[in-house]
Amino acid sequence: MKPDKPTQIKKESDLCGHNRKVLLDYRIPTRLEEIEKLADAVNQALSDPDLAFRANVCLEELITNTIVHGLNGAADRFIQVQISVSNEWLEILLKDDAPQFDPFMQAPSPNLDLDINERPIGGLGVHMVKKLMDDARADYDGSGNVIVLLKKLHQAAG
C-alpha cells in the first residue's frame, strides 16, 4: 500500500533552540540502488569527511534494514532523512512507515567473541551504528518509526 502523502518527520528535533540548522532534507525511494544518491547528498551537505563517513555508514545500514526487513522489499515507499547540526551536535532523523520496530532494542546483539565464520547473521550493523554515534534511539509516532542519531561535534580548541 502506497502512502497518500510523503512520510514526514513530525518529531520535534532534540536540537531545538540550540542554533539548529537543517543541512539536508531528503526523501529516498525504498530501493537499495537509491542509497548511493543519498550518500552523494550527505557528502555534499557535510563538509567534514569523518562525519559524512559516519553518517553514510549508519544511513546505509538502517535504510537497508528498513527496506529489506521492515518493508519486505516494497519499492513504492519512501524514507525521509533529515540531517541537522547545532553548535555541539550532528543530528540525523529517519522516518519510515514500516511496522513498528526499534532496532536498538529489538535487534539481536552480536557475540563479538565468536570467530567471524561462527557468528550468526544479524545485529552487527546496528551494533556498528551505536558505536559510530553518541546516541541512537527509535520511537514510533503512530504513523511510522522515527530513528534519532546524535553525534557530538568536536570543536577546535581556541
Side-chain angles (χ1 to χ4, degrees), residues 15-67:
L15 303 182
C16 277
H18 298 277
N19 298 316
R20 179 177 184 258
K21 179 181 177 187
V22 175
L23 300 179
L24 182 67
D25 199 358
Y26 194 97
R27 188 171 175 241
I28 179 172
T30 55
R31 293 184 297 278
L32 294 176
E33 63 271 15
E34 294 290 331
I35 294 173
E36 187 175 340
K37 294 176 190 171
L38 172 61
D40 290 341
V42 169
N43 289 335
Q44 288 182 0
L46 295 173
S47 58
D48 180 323
D50 179 60
L51 279 180
F53 173 79
R54 287 171 182 269
N56 278 321
V57 168
C58 294
L59 287 167
E60 181 174 355
E61 175 61 30
L62 295 169
I63 290 171
T64 298
N65 285 351
T66 298
I67 293 170

mmCIF file of all heavy atoms in Angstrom, residues 15-67:
data_model
loop_
_atom_site.group_PDB
_atom_site.id
_atom_site.type_symbol
_atom_site.label_atom_id
_atom_site.label_comp_id
_atom_site.label_asym_id
_atom_site.label_seq_id
_atom_site.Cartn_x
_atom_site.Cartn_y
_atom_site.Cartn_z
ATOM 1 N N LEU A 15 17.482 19.154 18.928
ATOM 2 C CA LEU A 15 18.366 20.306 18.859
ATOM 3 C C LEU A 15 17.623 21.638 18.868
ATOM 4 O O LEU A 15 18.237 22.680 18.687
ATOM 5 C CB LEU A 15 19.224 20.234 17.590
ATOM 6 C CG LEU A 15 20.075 18.981 17.415
ATOM 7 C CD1 LEU A 15 20.896 19.083 16.149
ATOM 8 C CD2 LEU A 15 20.970 18.765 18.604
ATOM 9 N N CYS A 16 16.309 21.629 19.056
ATOM 10 C CA CYS A 16 15.536 22.872 19.048
ATOM 11 C C CYS A 16 16.134 23.879 20.020
ATOM 12 O O CYS A 16 16.471 23.541 21.144
ATOM 13 C CB CYS A 16 14.075 22.610 19.404
ATOM 14 S SG CYS A 16 13.155 22.075 17.977
ATOM 15 N N GLY A 17 16.259 25.097 19.561
ATOM 16 C CA GLY A 17 16.748 26.158 20.422
ATOM 17 C C GLY A 17 18.246 26.146 20.631
ATOM 18 O O GLY A 17 18.772 26.874 21.451
ATOM 19 N N HIS A 18 18.972 25.348 19.915
ATOM 20 C CA HIS A 18 20.419 25.244 20.075
ATOM 21 C C HIS A 18 21.124 25.591 18.770
ATOM 22 O O HIS A 18 22.030 24.886 18.344
ATOM 23 C CB HIS A 18 20.821 23.837 20.527
ATOM 24 C CG HIS A 18 20.266 23.459 21.857
ATOM 25 N ND1 HIS A 18 20.854 23.813 23.035
ATOM 26 C CD2 HIS A 18 19.149 22.771 22.180
ATOM 27 C CE1 HIS A 18 20.138 23.342 24.040
ATOM 28 N NE2 HIS A 18 19.102 22.712 23.550
ATOM 29 N N ASN A 19 20.692 26.665 18.118
ATOM 30 C CA ASN A 19 21.284 27.096 16.843
ATOM 31 C C ASN A 19 21.231 25.980 15.801
ATOM 32 O O ASN A 19 22.190 25.737 15.081
ATOM 33 C CB ASN A 19 22.720 27.582 17.040
ATOM 34 C CG ASN A 19 22.778 28.776 17.949
ATOM 35 O OD1 ASN A 19 21.981 29.697 17.821
ATOM 36 N ND2 ASN A 19 23.708 28.765 18.885
ATOM 37 N N ARG A 20 20.118 25.294 15.729
ATOM 38 C CA ARG A 20 19.921 24.176 14.810
ATOM 39 C C ARG A 20 19.815 24.676 13.372
ATOM 40 O O ARG A 20 19.117 25.634 13.088
ATOM 41 C CB ARG A 20 18.648 23.425 15.187
ATOM 42 C CG ARG A 20 18.328 22.254 14.289
ATOM 43 C CD ARG A 20 17.073 21.553 14.807
ATOM 44 N NE ARG A 20 16.787 20.375 14.046
ATOM 45 C CZ ARG A 20 15.837 20.321 13.105
ATOM 46 N NH1 ARG A 20 15.108 21.372 12.841
ATOM 47 N NH2 ARG A 20 15.625 19.201 12.450
ATOM 48 N N LYS A 21 20.527 23.987 12.490
ATOM 49 C CA LYS A 21 20.479 24.300 11.071
ATOM 50 C C LYS A 21 20.284 22.993 10.300
ATOM 51 O O LYS A 21 21.075 22.057 10.457
ATOM 52 C CB LYS A 21 21.778 24.978 10.631
ATOM 53 C CG LYS A 21 21.812 25.317 9.162
ATOM 54 C CD LYS A 21 23.119 25.971 8.784
ATOM 55 C CE LYS A 21 23.139 26.229 7.289
ATOM 56 N NZ LYS A 21 24.450 26.708 6.845
ATOM 57 N N VAL A 22 19.230 22.919 9.494
ATOM 58 C CA VAL A 22 18.988 21.735 8.671
ATOM 59 C C VAL A 22 19.922 21.803 7.468
ATOM 60 O O VAL A 22 19.902 22.769 6.704
ATOM 61 C CB VAL A 22 17.514 21.649 8.219
ATOM 62 C CG1 VAL A 22 17.312 20.476 7.263
ATOM 63 C CG2 VAL A 22 16.590 21.526 9.418
ATOM 64 N N LEU A 23 20.751 20.780 7.314
ATOM 65 C CA LEU A 23 21.691 20.718 6.195
ATOM 66 C C LEU A 23 21.157 19.889 5.036
ATOM 67 O O LEU A 23 21.553 20.092 3.891
ATOM 68 C CB LEU A 23 23.024 20.125 6.654
ATOM 69 C CG LEU A 23 23.766 20.875 7.751
ATOM 70 C CD1 LEU A 23 25.046 20.136 8.113
ATOM 71 C CD2 LEU A 23 24.065 22.301 7.329
ATOM 72 N N LEU A 24 20.299 18.921 5.348
ATOM 73 C CA LEU A 24 19.774 18.024 4.315
ATOM 74 C C LEU A 24 18.390 17.551 4.727
ATOM 75 O O LEU A 24 18.195 17.113 5.861
ATOM 76 C CB LEU A 24 20.707 16.823 4.129
ATOM 77 C CG LEU A 24 20.329 15.801 3.056
ATOM 78 C CD1 LEU A 24 20.428 16.420 1.666
ATOM 79 C CD2 LEU A 24 21.210 14.565 3.143
ATOM 80 N N ASP A 25 17.451 17.657 3.812
ATOM 81 C CA ASP A 25 16.105 17.119 3.997
ATOM 82 C C ASP A 25 15.841 16.312 2.726
ATOM 83 O O ASP A 25 15.637 16.894 1.662
ATOM 84 C CB ASP A 25 15.099 18.256 4.180
ATOM 85 C CG ASP A 25 13.813 17.784 4.820
ATOM 86 O OD1 ASP A 25 13.674 16.578 5.091
ATOM 87 O OD2 ASP A 25 12.932 18.638 5.037
ATOM 88 N N TYR A 26 15.894 14.994 2.826
ATOM 89 C CA TYR A 26 15.954 14.127 1.656
ATOM 90 C C TYR A 26 14.905 13.034 1.757
ATOM 91 O O TYR A 26 14.779 12.377 2.792
ATOM 92 C CB TYR A 26 17.360 13.506 1.593
ATOM 93 C CG TYR A 26 17.726 12.856 0.292
ATOM 94 C CD1 TYR A 26 18.475 13.542 -0.659
ATOM 95 C CD2 TYR A 26 17.366 11.543 0.015
ATOM 96 C CE1 TYR A 26 18.851 12.938 -1.847
ATOM 97 C CE2 TYR A 26 17.727 10.938 -1.181
ATOM 98 C CZ TYR A 26 18.465 11.634 -2.102
ATOM 99 O OH TYR A 26 18.835 11.033 -3.283
ATOM 100 N N ARG A 27 14.185 12.827 0.697
ATOM 101 C CA ARG A 27 13.171 11.765 0.619
ATOM 102 C C ARG A 27 13.710 10.685 -0.315
ATOM 103 O O ARG A 27 13.799 10.881 -1.523
ATOM 104 C CB ARG A 27 11.875 12.382 0.082
ATOM 105 C CG ARG A 27 10.705 11.477 0.118
ATOM 106 C CD ARG A 27 9.453 12.296 -0.237
ATOM 107 N NE ARG A 27 8.302 11.451 -0.340
ATOM 108 C CZ ARG A 27 7.581 11.300 -1.446
ATOM 109 N NH1 ARG A 27 7.869 11.974 -2.535
ATOM 110 N NH2 ARG A 27 6.553 10.493 -1.445
ATOM 111 N N ILE A 28 14.075 9.540 0.252
ATOM 112 C CA ILE A 28 14.696 8.470 -0.537
ATOM 113 C C ILE A 28 13.667 7.389 -0.858
ATOM 114 O O ILE A 28 12.998 6.869 0.039
ATOM 115 C CB ILE A 28 15.934 7.874 0.192
ATOM 116 C CG1 ILE A 28 16.561 6.743 -0.635
ATOM 117 C CG2 ILE A 28 15.607 7.419 1.590
ATOM 118 C CD1 ILE A 28 17.878 6.225 -0.094
ATOM 119 N N PRO A 29 13.531 7.059 -2.150
ATOM 120 C CA PRO A 29 12.676 5.928 -2.516
ATOM 121 C C PRO A 29 13.256 4.634 -1.927
ATOM 122 O O PRO A 29 14.465 4.497 -1.780
ATOM 123 C CB PRO A 29 12.743 5.894 -4.045
ATOM 124 C CG PRO A 29 13.218 7.260 -4.444
ATOM 125 C CD PRO A 29 14.106 7.722 -3.318
ATOM 126 N N THR A 30 12.400 3.692 -1.593
ATOM 127 C CA THR A 30 12.843 2.461 -0.929
ATOM 128 C C THR A 30 13.352 1.425 -1.925
ATOM 129 O O THR A 30 12.827 0.325 -2.039
ATOM 130 C CB THR A 30 11.718 1.879 -0.053
ATOM 131 O OG1 THR A 30 10.553 1.697 -0.863
ATOM 132 C CG2 THR A 30 11.411 2.768 1.126
ATOM 133 N N ARG A 31 14.400 1.807 -2.601
ATOM 134 C CA ARG A 31 15.124 0.907 -3.496
ATOM 135 C C ARG A 31 16.599 1.006 -3.133
ATOM 136 O O ARG A 31 17.148 2.109 -3.015
ATOM 137 C CB ARG A 31 14.886 1.299 -4.958
ATOM 138 C CG ARG A 31 13.427 1.076 -5.384
ATOM 139 C CD ARG A 31 13.211 1.372 -6.865
ATOM 140 N NE ARG A 31 13.464 2.754 -7.214
ATOM 141 C CZ ARG A 31 12.598 3.769 -7.061
ATOM 142 N NH1 ARG A 31 11.406 3.545 -6.532
ATOM 143 N NH2 ARG A 31 12.923 4.994 -7.422
ATOM 144 N N LEU A 32 17.248 -0.133 -2.964
ATOM 145 C CA LEU A 32 18.626 -0.150 -2.481
ATOM 146 C C LEU A 32 19.566 0.685 -3.349
ATOM 147 O O LEU A 32 20.481 1.327 -2.831
ATOM 148 C CB LEU A 32 19.131 -1.593 -2.376
ATOM 149 C CG LEU A 32 18.428 -2.461 -1.330
ATOM 150 C CD1 LEU A 32 18.953 -3.886 -1.380
ATOM 151 C CD2 LEU A 32 18.580 -1.874 0.065
ATOM 152 N N GLU A 33 19.323 0.714 -4.647
ATOM 153 C CA GLU A 33 20.209 1.481 -5.533
ATOM 154 C C GLU A 33 20.122 2.992 -5.287
ATOM 155 O O GLU A 33 20.989 3.746 -5.724
ATOM 156 C CB GLU A 33 19.942 1.152 -7.011
ATOM 157 C CG GLU A 33 18.563 1.522 -7.509
ATOM 158 C CD GLU A 33 17.514 0.434 -7.338
ATOM 159 O OE1 GLU A 33 17.748 -0.536 -6.586
ATOM 160 O OE2 GLU A 33 16.451 0.576 -7.963
ATOM 161 N N GLU A 34 19.105 3.447 -4.578
ATOM 162 C CA GLU A 34 18.948 4.876 -4.274
ATOM 163 C C GLU A 34 19.863 5.334 -3.128
ATOM 164 O O GLU A 34 20.081 6.534 -2.951
ATOM 165 C CB GLU A 34 17.489 5.185 -3.910
ATOM 166 C CG GLU A 34 16.522 4.992 -5.053
ATOM 167 C CD GLU A 34 16.663 6.030 -6.150
ATOM 168 O OE1 GLU A 34 17.062 7.170 -5.851
ATOM 169 O OE2 GLU A 34 16.372 5.687 -7.319
ATOM 170 N N ILE A 35 20.408 4.392 -2.363
ATOM 171 C CA ILE A 35 21.255 4.743 -1.223
ATOM 172 C C ILE A 35 22.504 5.488 -1.694
ATOM 173 O O ILE A 35 22.975 6.401 -1.015
ATOM 174 C CB ILE A 35 21.602 3.494 -0.388
ATOM 175 C CG1 ILE A 35 20.316 2.938 0.263
ATOM 176 C CG2 ILE A 35 22.649 3.810 0.679
ATOM 177 C CD1 ILE A 35 20.490 1.618 0.981
ATOM 178 N N GLU A 36 23.027 5.141 -2.857
ATOM 179 C CA GLU A 36 24.217 5.824 -3.374
ATOM 180 C C GLU A 36 23.935 7.306 -3.642
ATOM 181 O O GLU A 36 24.777 8.165 -3.365
ATOM 182 C CB GLU A 36 24.695 5.142 -4.656
ATOM 183 C CG GLU A 36 26.010 5.692 -5.158
ATOM 184 C CD GLU A 36 26.542 4.934 -6.361
ATOM 185 O OE1 GLU A 36 26.130 3.782 -6.603
ATOM 186 O OE2 GLU A 36 27.381 5.519 -7.072
ATOM 187 N N LYS A 37 22.745 7.626 -4.143
ATOM 188 C CA LYS A 37 22.373 9.030 -4.372
ATOM 189 C C LYS A 37 22.278 9.783 -3.047
ATOM 190 O O LYS A 37 22.687 10.942 -2.942
ATOM 191 C CB LYS A 37 21.050 9.123 -5.127
ATOM 192 C CG LYS A 37 21.121 8.590 -6.542
ATOM 193 C CD LYS A 37 19.747 8.633 -7.191
ATOM 194 C CE LYS A 37 19.762 7.883 -8.513
ATOM 195 N NZ LYS A 37 18.416 7.729 -9.059
ATOM 196 N N LEU A 38 21.712 9.122 -2.033
ATOM 197 C CA LEU A 38 21.652 9.730 -0.712
ATOM 198 C C LEU A 38 23.060 9.981 -0.185
ATOM 199 O O LEU A 38 23.339 11.055 0.363
ATOM 200 C CB LEU A 38 20.871 8.843 0.263
ATOM 201 C CG LEU A 38 20.891 9.277 1.732
ATOM 202 C CD1 LEU A 38 20.278 10.666 1.914
ATOM 203 C CD2 LEU A 38 20.183 8.240 2.597
ATOM 204 N N ALA A 39 23.950 9.021 -0.361
ATOM 205 C CA ALA A 39 25.333 9.181 0.115
ATOM 206 C C ALA A 39 26.002 10.390 -0.542
ATOM 207 O O ALA A 39 26.712 11.150 0.128
ATOM 208 C CB ALA A 39 26.140 7.909 -0.153
ATOM 209 N N ASP A 40 25.763 10.587 -1.828
ATOM 210 C CA ASP A 40 26.310 11.764 -2.516
ATOM 211 C C ASP A 40 25.763 13.046 -1.906
ATOM 212 O O ASP A 40 26.507 14.015 -1.696
ATOM 213 C CB ASP A 40 25.983 11.719 -4.015
ATOM 214 C CG ASP A 40 26.743 10.625 -4.754
ATOM 215 O OD1 ASP A 40 27.770 10.138 -4.239
ATOM 216 O OD2 ASP A 40 26.290 10.252 -5.858
ATOM 217 N N ALA A 41 24.472 13.072 -1.600
ATOM 218 C CA ALA A 41 23.853 14.252 -0.990
ATOM 219 C C ALA A 41 24.424 14.504 0.411
ATOM 220 O O ALA A 41 24.664 15.654 0.789
ATOM 221 C CB ALA A 41 22.338 14.082 -0.939
ATOM 222 N N VAL A 42 24.654 13.434 1.170
ATOM 223 C CA VAL A 42 25.242 13.567 2.511
ATOM 224 C C VAL A 42 26.656 14.124 2.400
ATOM 225 O O VAL A 42 27.046 15.025 3.158
ATOM 226 C CB VAL A 42 25.231 12.212 3.255
ATOM 227 C CG1 VAL A 42 26.065 12.263 4.538
ATOM 228 C CG2 VAL A 42 23.799 11.787 3.562
ATOM 229 N N ASN A 43 27.434 13.620 1.453
ATOM 230 C CA ASN A 43 28.805 14.109 1.263
ATOM 231 C C ASN A 43 28.828 15.590 0.921
ATOM 232 O O ASN A 43 29.735 16.315 1.334
ATOM 233 C CB ASN A 43 29.524 13.300 0.187
ATOM 234 C CG ASN A 43 29.852 11.894 0.646
ATOM 235 O OD1 ASN A 43 29.973 11.624 1.838
ATOM 236 N ND2 ASN A 43 29.989 10.986 -0.296
ATOM 237 N N GLN A 44 27.848 16.050 0.167
ATOM 238 C CA GLN A 44 27.769 17.473 -0.167
ATOM 239 C C GLN A 44 27.309 18.299 1.028
ATOM 240 O O GLN A 44 27.754 19.425 1.220
ATOM 241 C CB GLN A 44 26.825 17.693 -1.348
ATOM 242 C CG GLN A 44 27.393 17.207 -2.659
ATOM 243 C CD GLN A 44 26.460 17.469 -3.830
ATOM 244 O OE1 GLN A 44 25.383 18.012 -3.681
ATOM 245 N NE2 GLN A 44 26.899 17.069 -5.014
ATOM 246 N N ALA A 45 26.408 17.757 1.832
ATOM 247 C CA ALA A 45 25.851 18.500 2.965
ATOM 248 C C ALA A 45 26.828 18.620 4.134
ATOM 249 O O ALA A 45 26.827 19.627 4.838
ATOM 250 C CB ALA A 45 24.561 17.834 3.442
ATOM 251 N N LEU A 46 27.653 17.603 4.330
ATOM 252 C CA LEU A 46 28.578 17.579 5.466
ATOM 253 C C LEU A 46 30.005 17.805 4.977
ATOM 254 O O LEU A 46 30.564 16.962 4.276
ATOM 255 C CB LEU A 46 28.484 16.250 6.218
ATOM 256 C CG LEU A 46 27.146 15.964 6.894
ATOM 257 C CD1 LEU A 46 27.130 14.550 7.463
ATOM 258 C CD2 LEU A 46 26.866 16.985 7.981
ATOM 259 N N SER A 47 30.580 18.914 5.369
ATOM 260 C CA SER A 47 31.926 19.243 4.895
ATOM 261 C C SER A 47 33.017 18.422 5.584
ATOM 262 O O SER A 47 34.099 18.259 5.034
ATOM 263 C CB SER A 47 32.207 20.737 5.093
ATOM 264 O OG SER A 47 32.077 21.084 6.455
ATOM 265 N N ASP A 48 32.731 17.889 6.769
ATOM 266 C CA ASP A 48 33.700 17.076 7.498
ATOM 267 C C ASP A 48 33.637 15.642 6.969
ATOM 268 O O ASP A 48 32.616 14.968 7.125
ATOM 269 C CB ASP A 48 33.365 17.115 8.995
ATOM 270 C CG ASP A 48 34.322 16.299 9.852
ATOM 271 O OD1 ASP A 48 34.775 15.215 9.420
ATOM 272 O OD2 ASP A 48 34.598 16.735 10.983
ATOM 273 N N PRO A 49 34.721 15.148 6.352
ATOM 274 C CA PRO A 49 34.701 13.794 5.767
ATOM 275 C C PRO A 49 34.434 12.695 6.792
ATOM 276 O O PRO A 49 33.776 11.705 6.470
ATOM 277 C CB PRO A 49 36.086 13.622 5.141
ATOM 278 C CG PRO A 49 36.708 14.966 5.125
ATOM 279 C CD PRO A 49 35.994 15.830 6.110
ATOM 280 N N ASP A 50 34.918 12.845 8.034
ATOM 281 C CA ASP A 50 34.673 11.837 9.060
ATOM 282 C C ASP A 50 33.190 11.785 9.416
ATOM 283 O O ASP A 50 32.615 10.696 9.524
ATOM 284 C CB ASP A 50 35.504 12.124 10.317
ATOM 285 C CG ASP A 50 35.243 11.100 11.414
ATOM 286 O OD1 ASP A 50 35.494 9.890 11.173
ATOM 287 O OD2 ASP A 50 34.771 11.496 12.503
ATOM 288 N N LEU A 51 32.560 12.941 9.570
ATOM 289 C CA LEU A 51 31.124 12.966 9.869
ATOM 290 C C LEU A 51 30.314 12.397 8.716
ATOM 291 O O LEU A 51 29.356 11.651 8.936
ATOM 292 C CB LEU A 51 30.662 14.396 10.156
ATOM 293 C CG LEU A 51 30.915 14.946 11.536
ATOM 294 C CD1 LEU A 51 30.390 16.376 11.638
ATOM 295 C CD2 LEU A 51 30.296 14.076 12.610
ATOM 296 N N ALA A 52 30.693 12.748 7.495
ATOM 297 C CA ALA A 52 29.981 12.230 6.319
ATOM 298 C C ALA A 52 30.105 10.712 6.260
ATOM 299 O O ALA A 52 29.125 10.006 5.986
ATOM 300 C CB ALA A 52 30.519 12.873 5.046
ATOM 301 N N PHE A 53 31.297 10.186 6.533
ATOM 302 C CA PHE A 53 31.504 8.734 6.529
ATOM 303 C C PHE A 53 30.625 8.063 7.576
ATOM 304 O O PHE A 53 29.913 7.093 7.290
ATOM 305 C CB PHE A 53 32.981 8.410 6.790
ATOM 306 C CG PHE A 53 33.239 6.942 6.969
ATOM 307 C CD1 PHE A 53 33.310 6.096 5.874
ATOM 308 C CD2 PHE A 53 33.384 6.390 8.241
ATOM 309 C CE1 PHE A 53 33.527 4.732 6.031
ATOM 310 C CE2 PHE A 53 33.595 5.029 8.407
ATOM 311 C CZ PHE A 53 33.675 4.201 7.296
ATOM 312 N N ARG A 54 30.649 8.586 8.806
ATOM 313 C CA ARG A 54 29.840 8.018 9.888
ATOM 314 C C ARG A 54 28.351 8.048 9.530
ATOM 315 O O ARG A 54 27.640 7.070 9.715
ATOM 316 C CB ARG A 54 30.068 8.789 11.191
ATOM 317 C CG ARG A 54 31.402 8.535 11.825
ATOM 318 C CD ARG A 54 31.649 9.505 12.994
ATOM 319 N NE ARG A 54 32.946 9.294 13.578
ATOM 320 C CZ ARG A 54 33.196 8.460 14.589
ATOM 321 N NH1 ARG A 54 32.231 7.767 15.129
ATOM 322 N NH2 ARG A 54 34.417 8.324 15.049
ATOM 323 N N ALA A 55 27.911 9.198 9.025
ATOM 324 C CA ALA A 55 26.502 9.337 8.655
ATOM 325 C C ALA A 55 26.130 8.334 7.569
ATOM 326 O O ALA A 55 25.099 7.662 7.661
ATOM 327 C CB ALA A 55 26.219 10.766 8.191
ATOM 328 N N ASN A 56 26.965 8.208 6.550
ATOM 329 C CA ASN A 56 26.650 7.308 5.442
ATOM 330 C C ASN A 56 26.658 5.844 5.851
ATOM 331 O O ASN A 56 25.803 5.071 5.400
ATOM 332 C CB ASN A 56 27.600 7.558 4.263
ATOM 333 C CG ASN A 56 27.159 8.727 3.430
ATOM 334 O OD1 ASN A 56 25.968 8.928 3.195
ATOM 335 N ND2 ASN A 56 28.117 9.520 2.973
ATOM 336 N N VAL A 57 27.583 5.435 6.701
ATOM 337 C CA VAL A 57 27.594 4.042 7.173
ATOM 338 C C VAL A 57 26.300 3.745 7.933
ATOM 339 O O VAL A 57 25.639 2.738 7.694
ATOM 340 C CB VAL A 57 28.833 3.754 8.054
ATOM 341 C CG1 VAL A 57 28.698 2.416 8.779
ATOM 342 C CG2 VAL A 57 30.103 3.768 7.211
ATOM 343 N N CYS A 58 25.921 4.653 8.831
ATOM 344 C CA CYS A 58 24.706 4.458 9.624
ATOM 345 C C CYS A 58 23.460 4.471 8.744
ATOM 346 O O CYS A 58 22.581 3.611 8.892
ATOM 347 C CB CYS A 58 24.596 5.534 10.697
ATOM 348 S SG CYS A 58 25.887 5.429 11.966
ATOM 349 N N LEU A 59 23.385 5.426 7.834
ATOM 350 C CA LEU A 59 22.220 5.513 6.960
ATOM 351 C C LEU A 59 22.098 4.280 6.070
ATOM 352 O O LEU A 59 21.009 3.733 5.902
ATOM 353 C CB LEU A 59 22.288 6.784 6.106
ATOM 354 C CG LEU A 59 22.011 8.080 6.865
ATOM 355 C CD1 LEU A 59 22.412 9.283 6.021
ATOM 356 C CD2 LEU A 59 20.549 8.158 7.277
ATOM 357 N N GLU A 60 23.204 3.835 5.500
ATOM 358 C CA GLU A 60 23.151 2.648 4.641
ATOM 359 C C GLU A 60 22.653 1.435 5.422
ATOM 360 O O GLU A 60 21.790 0.694 4.952
ATOM 361 C CB GLU A 60 24.513 2.349 4.026
ATOM 362 C CG GLU A 60 24.478 1.142 3.121
ATOM 363 C CD GLU A 60 25.771 0.881 2.378
ATOM 364 O OE1 GLU A 60 26.708 1.689 2.465
ATOM 365 O OE2 GLU A 60 25.832 -0.157 1.700
ATOM 366 N N GLU A 61 23.156 1.245 6.620
ATOM 367 C CA GLU A 61 22.744 0.103 7.438
ATOM 368 C C GLU A 61 21.264 0.180 7.792
ATOM 369 O O GLU A 61 20.512 -0.774 7.589
ATOM 370 C CB GLU A 61 23.593 0.057 8.720
ATOM 371 C CG GLU A 61 23.180 -1.011 9.686
ATOM 372 C CD GLU A 61 23.282 -2.421 9.129
ATOM 373 O OE1 GLU A 61 24.147 -2.681 8.270
ATOM 374 O OE2 GLU A 61 22.478 -3.281 9.557
ATOM 375 N N LEU A 62 20.838 1.318 8.321
ATOM 376 C CA LEU A 62 19.458 1.439 8.787
ATOM 377 C C LEU A 62 18.450 1.432 7.640
ATOM 378 O O LEU A 62 17.394 0.809 7.743
ATOM 379 C CB LEU A 62 19.310 2.703 9.634
ATOM 380 C CG LEU A 62 20.115 2.674 10.945
ATOM 381 C CD1 LEU A 62 20.133 4.049 11.589
ATOM 382 C CD2 LEU A 62 19.565 1.623 11.903
ATOM 383 N N ILE A 63 18.782 2.098 6.545
ATOM 384 C CA ILE A 63 17.865 2.127 5.396
ATOM 385 C C ILE A 63 17.783 0.758 4.732
ATOM 386 O O ILE A 63 16.700 0.304 4.362
ATOM 387 C CB ILE A 63 18.259 3.239 4.413
ATOM 388 C CG1 ILE A 63 17.966 4.600 5.061
ATOM 389 C CG2 ILE A 63 17.533 3.097 3.080
ATOM 390 C CD1 ILE A 63 18.508 5.796 4.296
ATOM 391 N N THR A 64 18.911 0.084 4.592
ATOM 392 C CA THR A 64 18.897 -1.271 4.025
ATOM 393 C C THR A 64 18.024 -2.191 4.875
ATOM 394 O O THR A 64 17.190 -2.937 4.340
ATOM 395 C CB THR A 64 20.330 -1.833 3.916
ATOM 396 O OG1 THR A 64 21.086 -1.002 3.034
ATOM 397 C CG2 THR A 64 20.328 -3.265 3.396
ATOM 398 N N ASN A 65 18.191 -2.140 6.195
ATOM 399 C CA ASN A 65 17.373 -2.973 7.076
ATOM 400 C C ASN A 65 15.891 -2.640 6.945
ATOM 401 O O ASN A 65 15.043 -3.537 6.929
ATOM 402 C CB ASN A 65 17.808 -2.808 8.537
ATOM 403 C CG ASN A 65 19.096 -3.536 8.840
ATOM 404 O OD1 ASN A 65 19.610 -4.309 8.035
ATOM 405 N ND2 ASN A 65 19.638 -3.272 10.011
ATOM 406 N N THR A 66 15.574 -1.347 6.845
ATOM 407 C CA THR A 66 14.170 -0.945 6.714
ATOM 408 C C THR A 66 13.583 -1.473 5.408
ATOM 409 O O THR A 66 12.484 -2.033 5.396
ATOM 410 C CB THR A 66 14.034 0.590 6.769
ATOM 411 O OG1 THR A 66 14.506 1.035 8.044
ATOM 412 C CG2 THR A 66 12.592 1.022 6.579
ATOM 413 N N ILE A 67 14.317 -1.313 4.319
ATOM 414 C CA ILE A 67 13.815 -1.757 3.016
ATOM 415 C C ILE A 67 13.653 -3.277 2.984
ATOM 416 O O ILE A 67 12.605 -3.796 2.611
ATOM 417 C CB ILE A 67 14.744 -1.290 1.872
ATOM 418 C CG1 ILE A 67 14.690 0.240 1.737
ATOM 419 C CG2 ILE A 67 14.376 -1.972 0.551
ATOM 420 C CD1 ILE A 67 15.748 0.817 0.798
#
